[in-house]
Amino acid sequence: MAGTAPLVQRSERPVAARFGVFLVSGRFPGQEDAEVLRRSVDAAIAAERAGFDDVWFAEHHFMPYGVCPSAITLAAHVLGRTERITVGTAVSVLSVAHPVALAEQWSLLDAVSGGRLRIGVGRGGPWQDLEVFGTGASRYETGFEESLDLMLAAMTSKTVSADSDHFKFREVPMVPRPERDPRLVVACGDAGSRAVRLAADRGLPMLLGLHTDDDGKIETLAAYGDSAAEHVSTVMCQVGDDALDVVRSALPGSLKEGFAGHVYLDGKRGLDKDPVAYTDRLCEMHPIGGVEYCVDRLGTSIRRTGVSHVIMMVEASGTPEGTLENIARIGEEVLPALRRG
């Protein structure tokens, strides 16, 4: 039942963690896209003020589920509006982007921000984006590994060239030259996802999704294998005695529009998910409730999974003021308790 922490076996490992904010930039009914994007920028600035370690932006194309079409562009803007906080993309959709162009953008922003940009990449889905941007189904179906390896080469070498199924070009110099090793993270689904093996083989950390509970994340980590990689876990966090009511009243409306907005490459429309039932599942899986409950759920999850870098989706109220209040409460009441262990 939501609101009550599950009974789990706890280890004695201390809670020494890194905490971030995850901003989907989701449009709720009646909102304009520009308003939503400004809400995300204000939330990122508030996250720095509240003591979060990082802020991550989602990327979606042609759907109201998230109205930011370029996470790295929004990240660049926020890097210029902040001073301390690390900014990341969660994720840049590699199936519709050229990996060398994305590497160039990272190198540029890494240089001017003093190393405050992290890049998360993911395969994306079989959506109409592939048609619009001309990459086609093959980039989604078979091209992710090549794209990832080419991006890594461009982020770590003075020159780069390609002669593969999806990329062919002569050697070119990387300008600006990378100053430091890339802090790249790969979005991974369940334990059977091909992305898990790709990340593990390259020693890259995983970004574990919002839609997977702790048990699923533990299975994915087991499939990855032992490693020193610092994985990132995504959760939803809403603090307050009325948090469940807030989420259940606001989120289904956004999810309904978002689910309907998906268009597959073959023309099929919509995801076969019930927004109310899905909201209830998220409420059961994640720290949504009073301060003590959220502290306990987050701490328990860190101890169970061993993943000590957690980023929190904080926009479930759907309003600018609700998002800012949630960020402030987490920063003031939740994070200090977790950091004390």
Side-chain angles (χ1 to χ4, degrees), residues 5-10 189-191 206 208-222 232-236 281-282 284-287 293-311:
L7 296 175
V8 297
Q9 184 68 39
R10 301 187 187 208
D190 58 30
M206 296 186 294
L208 303 170
L210 179 73
H211 313 296
T212 306
D213 61 16
D214 283 350
D215 289 338
K217 289 175 181 177
I218 290 168
E219 290 179 3
T220 303
L221 291 161
V232 183
S233 176
T234 313
V235 303
M236 179 184 292
R281 173 162 169 73
L282 291 175
E284 292 170 359
M285 288 167 54
H286 295 300
Y293 175 70
C294 289
V295 170
D296 185 67
R297 284 296 299 266
L298 285 163
T300 296
S301 178
I302 291 168
R303 285 184 285 266
R304 285 196 68 204
T305 63
V307 178
S308 60
H309 189 170
V310 179
I311 61 176

Side-chain angles (χ1 to χ4, degrees), residues 37-106:
L37 292 169
R38 286 191 290 268
R39 182 187 75 207
S40 291
V41 172
D42 290 344
I45 295 169
E48 180 173 66
R49 187 166 56 244
F52 283 88
D53 299 296
D54 39 49
V55 56
W56 300 71
F57 294 107
E59 175 176 302
H60 298 89
H61 298 278
F62 316 120
M63 66 179 71
Y65 178 79
V67 301
C68 172
S70 175
I72 197 165
T73 301
L74 192 52
H77 176 73
V78 168
L79 284 167
R81 297 285 303 276
T82 55
E83 297 179 355
R84 172 194 57 81
I85 200 166
T86 296
V87 183
T89 67
V91 294
S92 298
V93 182
L94 202 49
S95 297
V96 295
H98 196 291
V100 176
L102 193 56
E104 284 182 321
Q105 290 173 290
W106 166 78

